[in-house]
Amino acid sequence: MQFIDLKTQQLKIRTDIIKRIEKILDHGKYVMGPEVQELEQRLADYSGTNYAIGVSSGTDALMMTLMAYDIGKDDAVFTTPFTFIATASMIRVVHATPVFVDIHSSTFNIDCIKLEQEILKTINEGKLKPKAIIAVDLFGQLADYDKLEKIAKKYNLILIEDAAQSFGASYKNKKSCSFGDIATTSFFPAKPLGGYGDSGMIFTNGEDIYKKLLSLRVHGKSDHKYNNIRIGINGRLDTIQAAIILAKMEIFDEEIQKRQKIAVNYTNLLPDNLTTPKLGKDHISAWAQYSILSNKRDKLMQKLNDAGIPTAIYYPKPLHLQDAFNDLNYNEGDFPVSEDISEKIFSLPFHPYLKYEDQVKIAKIIGVE
Ligand SMILES: *Cc1c(COP(=O)(O)O)cnc(C)c1O
């Protein structure tokens, strides 16, 4: 059994992928070929945003977004310590300071009550200027944007949606990547919409920030490539990746549907003595991961492993306890919810083609004490 089965998916679209790659071999525009624009248009339409910018990865999407808003030294960016490192490390890369806020115990997303407390604390301390919030849609469920958008407005903060795990999710029919001022996503192969390599995308309704991102993507160019008006990077998305993601979009809605069914199956099959994922009202998750909580995590993972069933822990160590952030002077006990969950959480095999029999098998192994 595989944790994420990309092979079964490939069999469904392999002919289309090959056809699209052959077309690129014919036209030869390997960098910024027509497929890149086609994908940008398609995903802007899909997410319901005005502009989409294809970029080199989800990590670069975050960095470029922070650069586009001139976020840097002495700026505070509020985010969660229970996420993939890139969310917070990119804040550091632009020389701003991540200010961590603990998560909600049932959704694992940023806790909005604690967020407001942390913003007020930062204002009172007067050392850092509150500048932005990066909310993460962990495991595919959107963060609480009703509240986040109000808080961002009240304190005049830029709201960034890190949607690396949530492409395809929605809240009240509003799609992932359309919340806040700007959103970033990733097409790393294991994400809900993954390519065959690294790439990502940025989404916004703001025309000015869109134009600035186009410039940042190609070394700070202006209207002419060799007239550079700001410091930028090579943040482009490959033509071949765009073609593969376009092929995957042909079956993506069907896959999102399948993911809902598989999540419901797990929740019905798994024993009551462990905690299964809780979805908020009006939420559809992209189910990047199906993560459960158990006091006997290590024992259960061992049993599953013995039966040839792979599992994974997202995340075993919250970011405030990572050596990379030692200079921020956080300590154990600072974010009790994140710390507690990091000791109990693990993820089960999950992909749109997971067989019901395999889910039954997994649930049985977990159920036998
Ligand atoms: C995967 C991920 C990223 C980084 O995306 P890459 O394409 O791997 O650079 C950023 N944030 C979150 C929450 C992620 O899960």
Side-chain angles (χ1 to χ4, degrees):
M1 206 182 299
Q2 286 180 66
F3 191 67
I4 295 178
D5 176 7
L6 294 172
K7 204 81 202 172
T8 304
Q9 179 198 51
Q10 191 185 91
L11 288 174
K12 287 180 75 106
I13 52 174
R14 195 175 165 104
T15 317
D16 187 26
I17 287 175
I18 290 169
K19 214 169 73 193
R20 287 175 191 265
I21 291 175
E22 276 181 347
K23 204 167 149 199
I24 295 168
L25 297 179
D26 288 339
H27 70 52
K29 298 191 179 87
Y30 308 120
V31 173
M32 298 307 280
E35 286 80 1
V36 174
Q37 230 183 359
E38 189 186 338
L39 182 69
E40 288 172 340
Q41 189 59 57
R42 179 120 191 222
L43 298 194
D45 290 347
Y46 186 88
S47 63
T49 54
N50 290 347
Y51 305 104
I53 305 108
V55 298
S56 34
S57 70
T59 303
D60 291 343
L62 284 163
M63 182 178 72
M64 290 165 71
T65 295
L66 295 165
M67 288 168 81
Y69 282 104
D70 296 312
I71 293 169
K73 201 174 166 301
D74 300 327
D75 290 335
V77 180
F78 301 89
T79 195
T80 145
F82 198 66
T83 174
F84 181 61
I85 180 118
T87 312
S89 60
M90 289 307 105
I91 298 169
R92 226 47 190 139
V93 161
V94 300
H95 306 294
T97 303
V99 177
F100 291 122
V101 177
D102 212 351
I103 53 170
H104 205 276
S105 60
S106 68
T107 63
F108 315 133
N109 284 329
I110 196 163
D111 182 323
C112 290
I113 293 171
K114 290 176 186 158
L115 171 63
E116 195 159 4
Q117 289 168 355
E118 212 53 56
I119 294 169
L120 289 170
K121 204 171 119 195
T122 305
I123 293 171
N124 286 337
E125 278 174 3
K127 285 191 208 129
L128 298 168
K129 186 178 185 308
K131 198 71 187 268
I133 303 164
I134 305 183
V136 179
D137 307 329
L138 206 74
F139 304 145
Q141 177 171 207
L142 295 167
D144 188 351
Y145 291 103
D146 284 345
K147 289 194 191 125
L148 286 166
E149 284 172 356
K150 276 193 200 124
I151 293 171
K153 202 164 168 210
K154 185 168 168 188
Y155 296 98
N156 195 24
L157 302 174
I158 299 147
L159 179 55
I160 301 165
E161 177 190 2
D162 180 349
Q165 302 183 9
S166 68
F167 196 82
S170 60
Y171 170 62
K172 289 182 180 162
N173 292 322
K174 196 171 172 333
K175 284 240 160 60
S176 163
C177 296
S178 70
F179 294 89
D181 296 289
I182 195 157
T184 62
T185 198
S186 162
F187 306 123
F188 181 79
K191 308 283 178 177
L193 180 63
Y196 289 157
D198 283 308
S199 57
M201 203 164 276
I202 306 173
F203 300 83
T204 183
N205 290 326
E207 191 182 356
D208 291 345
I209 210 79
Y210 168 68
K211 286 185 176 156
K212 199 163 167 188
L213 283 162
L214 292 181
S215 163
L216 285 167
R217 180 169 68 175
V218 189
H219 303 287
K221 71 177 173 109
S222 62
D223 44 357
H224 187 276
K225 195 174 163 184
Y226 297 115
N227 183 23
N228 309 94
I229 53 170
R230 58 173 64 83
I231 299 297
I233 64 167
N234 170 2
R236 295 180 294 254
L237 181 153
D238 288 348
T239 309
I240 287 181
Q241 289 309 326
I244 288 155
I245 297 158
L246 279 166
K248 291 208 185 185
M249 275 307 284
E250 297 296 319
I251 55 165
F252 186 64
D253 273 334
E254 194 185 298
E255 289 191 343
I256 288 287
Q257 288 302 318
K258 287 193 163 92
R259 285 174 186 270
Q260 308 312 312
K261 182 130 190 293
I262 287 160
V264 169
N265 289 346
Y266 261 143
T267 304
N268 290 337
L269 288 166
L270 288 166
D272 296 335
N273 62 352
L274 47 78
T275 309
T276 51
K278 303 278 180 298
L279 272 195
K281 194 173 175 292
D282 300 319
H283 278 268
I284 292 175
S285 176
W287 294 108
Q289 301 296 340
Y290 186 93
S291 306
I292 58 179
L293 305 177
S294 168
N295 291 322
K296 298 179 192 142
R297 171 180 73 187
D298 296 346
K299 203 175 126 200
L300 291 177
M301 286 179 72
Q302 187 59 51
K303 274 207 292 189
L304 289 164
N305 185 57
D306 291 345
I309 296 159
T311 54
I313 301 177
Y314 304 107
Y315 296 89
K317 197 185 210 183
L319 298 186
H320 67 288
L321 302 178
Q322 297 281 356
D323 286 348
F325 297 116
N326 272 350
D327 62 330
L328 299 174
N329 294 318
Y330 284 108
N331 294 304
E332 217 171 312
D334 284 346
F335 303 105
V337 181
S338 298
E339 290 170 29
D340 180 53
I341 285 170
S342 71
E343 283 166 15
K344 294 177 182 158
I345 201 159
F346 70 110
S347 304
L348 299 177
F350 199 98
H351 55 83
Y353 307 99
L354 187 62
K355 291 200 190 79
Y356 185 72
E357 304 90 85
D358 287 339
Q359 293 194 276
V360 171
K361 187 177 163 192
I362 291 165
K364 262 197 189 136
I365 293 168
I366 291 176
V368 178
E369 283 298 325

